[in-house]
């Protein structure tokens, strides 16, 4: 019985069960359905302009912003790049990217630990306003620094890239498998620090491939430049290949 | 931490379903959380209870969770087990240690709802 007001309501909270009819419906709809629908709209929006969207996921401090700065400096003469910069607070990272002279929209989540597709849609529209009719080749979405939650939310990206820096430790793919499971590219960043940390490239590779056998793994250092060429090469290739495979490809994500 | 967002999504789904079916109340919702969905089951239940009182149709909804456990596969030889072995226990087949990885699906699905009509009305569906 209800122990709050003495109304004799059974504890399952159904005061009139015997007089009201109930119907059981089979639904089978993902809890992420609304987000996934918006993500599909985001992707089609980008595809209508021939833009490849890349979602960057990592823990805080893995070097997403630094790698983006390096990437922009190398590619901005040949490709039109835009960035959606996700952070819980401040526009610091957005300012860093903006200083490289490319269009940036800050997506400040105000507490939320991940970006979701509706927020990214607003960001894409603001990016359109900044670029006018000049369509972008690549939009990078720098997700909130968090190796856990962002892995659950599709944003409309064509490719998901997970970054893990050497100081974080090579045990992370085993401990945070979902980000590695749902990504296509895995960048081991701050490779120049390998001599100073107990980090096994072999372990990180075998663990990540154990979780996701098709994951492409590229170790690099934005500071020393080592390995950056492979990343840039990959970016050039996906931009080159986007007609029709990327632009048409619903299936390229996951 | 994203469990609260997911619980909010579920509540919105339930409110919409109840409106579509002209139901006065959602009695029960059954949700499946796959072992690799990346969802902390307790946090999700906590989030659901926190959010459900925002709507009259869901404020008494009972959440039933279907949470199958993961299997564990040896990365080296592919042997699969139901239980995770301690990190220092060798694989019975190949002898490797600490190479077990969880396997399973990442589904996060509203399977079924039980709806109650308004004032005893029969629900279409």
């Amino acid at each position: 019985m209800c122990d709050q007001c003495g109304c004799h309501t059974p504890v399952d909270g159904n005061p009139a069960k015997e007089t009201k009819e109930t119907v059981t419906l089979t639904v089978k709809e993902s809890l992420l359905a609304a987000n996934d629908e918006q993500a599909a709209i985001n992707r089609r929006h980008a595809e209508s302009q021939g833009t490849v969207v890349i979602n960057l996921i990592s823990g805080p401090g893995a070097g997403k912003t630094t790698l983006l700065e390096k990437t922009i400096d190398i590619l901005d003469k040949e490709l039109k790049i835009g960035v959606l910069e996700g952070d819980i607070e401040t526009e610091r990272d957005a300012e860093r990217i903006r200083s490289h002279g490319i269009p940036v929209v800050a997506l400040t989540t105000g507490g939320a630990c991940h970006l979701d597709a509706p927020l990214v849609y607003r960001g894409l529209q603001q990016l359109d306003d900044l670029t006018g009719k000049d369509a972008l080749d690549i939009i990078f979405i720098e997700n909130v620094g968090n190796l856990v939650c962002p892995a659950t939310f599709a944003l409309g990206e064509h490719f998901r890239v997970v970054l893990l820096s050497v100081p974080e430790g090579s045990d992370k793919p085993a401990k945070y498998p979902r980000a590695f499971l749902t990504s296509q590219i895995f960048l081991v960043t701050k490779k120049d620090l390998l001599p100073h940390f107990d980090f096994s490239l072999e372990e990180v590779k075998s663990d990540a491939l154990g979780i996701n056998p098709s994951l492409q793994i590229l170790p690099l250092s934005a500071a020393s430049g080592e390995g950056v060429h492979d990343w840039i090469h990959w970016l050039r290739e996906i931009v080159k290949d986007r007609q029709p495979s990327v632009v048409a490809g619903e299936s390229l994500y996951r | 931490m994203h469990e609260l967002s997911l619980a909010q999504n579920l509540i919105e789904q339930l409110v919409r379903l109840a409106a579509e079916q002209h139901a006065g109340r959602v009695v029960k919702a059954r949700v499946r959380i796959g072992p690799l969905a990346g969802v902390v089951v307790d946090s999700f239940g906590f989030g659901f209870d926190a959010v459900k009182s925002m709507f009259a149709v869901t404020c008494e909804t009972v959440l039933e969770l279907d949470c199958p456990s993961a299997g564990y596969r040896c990365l080296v030889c592919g042997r699969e087990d139901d239980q995770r072995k301690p990190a220092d226990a060798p694989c019975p087949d190949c002898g490797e240690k600490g190479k077990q990885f969880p396997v399973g699906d990442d589904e996060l699905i509203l399977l079924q709802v039980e709806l109650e009509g308004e004032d005893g009305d029969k629900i279409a569906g």
Side-chain angles (χ1 to χ4, degrees), chain A residues 129-143:
Chain A
D129 293 342
L130 289 176
T131 53
K133 288 197 172 64
D134 207 11
L136 297 165
D137 294 305
I138 303 180
I139 293 174
F140 289 104
I141 305 172
E142 184 177 339
N143 219 309

Side-chain angles (χ1 to χ4, degrees), chain B residues 1-115:
Chain B
M1 248 174 98
H2 60 298
E3 282 79 2
L4 185 62
S5 313
L6 296 173
Q8 266 168 329
N9 293 355
L10 172 59
I11 294 285
E12 283 163 18
Q13 255 167 311
L14 296 178
V15 170
R16 180 172 48 77
L17 274 170
E20 281 170 11
Q21 303 290 332
H22 307 291
R25 220 160 63 86
V26 181
V27 181
K28 214 182 273 178
R30 199 175 145 91
V31 172
R32 184 180 191 282
I33 302 179
L36 297 190
V39 171
V40 180
V41 175
D42 286 350
S43 306
F44 181 74
F46 179 81
F48 182 84
D49 287 340
V51 181
K52 71 179 187 180
S53 59
M54 287 166 60
F55 298 93
V57 287
T58 55
C59 66
E60 292 173 317
T61 304
V62 175
L63 181 63
E64 274 187 5
L65 295 174
D66 178 0
C67 309
S69 51
Y72 295 91
R73 183 185 294 150
C74 174
L75 197 61
V76 180
C77 70
R79 177 194 163 95
E80 289 204 15
D81 289 288
D82 294 339
Q83 302 282 317
R84 189 197 285 278
K85 280 192 279 291
D88 57 354
C91 172
D93 287 353
C94 70
E96 279 293 327
K97 291 176 185 171
K99 286 292 170 193
Q100 264 193 331
F101 280 85
V103 286
D105 67 81
D106 61 354
E107 286 183 342
L108 187 58
I109 291 178
L110 172 59
L111 292 174
Q112 214 174 49
V113 290
E114 191 180 324
L115 302 171

Side-chain angles (χ1 to χ4, degrees), chain A:
Chain A
M1 292 295 138
C2 164
D3 57 2
Q4 288 179 2
C5 63
C7 67
H8 303 293
T9 300
V11 276
D12 70 356
N14 188 354
K17 206 171 198 169
E18 54 286 349
T19 61
K20 290 192 179 180
E21 211 169 322
T22 68
V23 164
T24 301
L25 286 184
T26 301
V27 185
K28 288 195 181 161
E29 188 178 84
S30 167
L31 266 59
L32 293 160
N35 185 77
D36 289 349
E37 265 168 46
Q38 183 62 57
I41 292 168
N42 294 354
R43 189 164 43 225
R44 283 197 294 274
H45 178 83
E47 283 165 3
S48 71
Q49 303 178 344
T51 309
V52 182
V53 181
I54 299 173
N55 180 6
L56 300 174
I57 294 179
S58 80
K64 293 186 294 300
T65 313
T66 304
L67 180 68
L68 270 183
E69 290 180 289
K70 183 89 181 172
T71 304
I72 291 160
D73 287 345
I74 296 171
L75 286 177
D76 74 343
K77 296 278 185 293
E78 56 185 288
L79 297 176
K80 289 182 291 265
I81 298 173
V83 175
L84 297 182
E85 187 62 58
D87 261 315
I88 291 180
E89 296 291 350
T90 84
E91 289 205 13
R92 285 181 194 190
D93 285 355
E95 286 302 328
R96 274 174 66 185
I97 300 290
R98 202 170 281 134
S99 71
H100 293 258
I102 64 152
V104 181
V105 171
L107 301 175
T108 311
T109 65
C113 50
H114 58 272
L115 297 177
D116 59 24
L119 186 59
V120 164
Y121 184 65
R122 290 198 288 278
L124 290 173
Q125 288 176 317
Q126 290 176 47
L127 212 46
D128 281 351
D129 293 342
L130 289 176
T131 53
K133 288 197 172 64
D134 207 11
L136 297 165
D137 294 305
I138 303 180
I139 293 174
F140 289 104
I141 305 172
E142 184 177 339
N143 219 309
V144 176
N146 177 343
L147 203 47
V148 187
C149 312
T152 300
F153 295 86
L155 304 178
E157 69 267 40
H158 296 96
F159 296 97
R160 186 175 285 192
V161 177
V162 59
L163 291 79
L164 175 71
S165 67
V166 165
E168 290 173 86
S170 43
D171 57 349
K172 294 302 176 287
K175 290 167 88 170
Y176 302 89
R178 195 175 160 79
F180 297 86
L181 181 72
T182 61
S183 292
Q184 291 80 41
I185 303 285
F186 170 23
L187 303 178
V188 182
T189 58
K190 310 189 189 182
K191 189 186 176 207
D192 54 311
L193 298 179
L194 273 175
H196 309 287
F197 285 88
D198 182 21
F199 184 101
S200 164
L201 262 182
E202 201 181 315
E203 177 192 29
V204 93
K205 282 180 181 173
S206 81
D207 285 2
L209 290 174
I211 295 158
N212 178 357
S214 61
L215 194 62
Q216 200 176 331
I217 304 173
L218 305 175
L220 56 82
S221 163
S224 73
E226 194 184 353
V228 171
H229 173 80
D230 296 332
W231 163 241
I232 297 293
H233 177 74
W234 181 78
L235 289 170
R236 283 186 178 127
E237 290 297 306
I238 60 162
V239 169
K240 208 163 72 185
D241 291 348
R242 73 194 139 158
Q243 293 286 356
S245 60
V246 169
V247 172
E250 282 284 301
S251 60
L252 275 162
Y253 166 62
R254 288 176 59 164

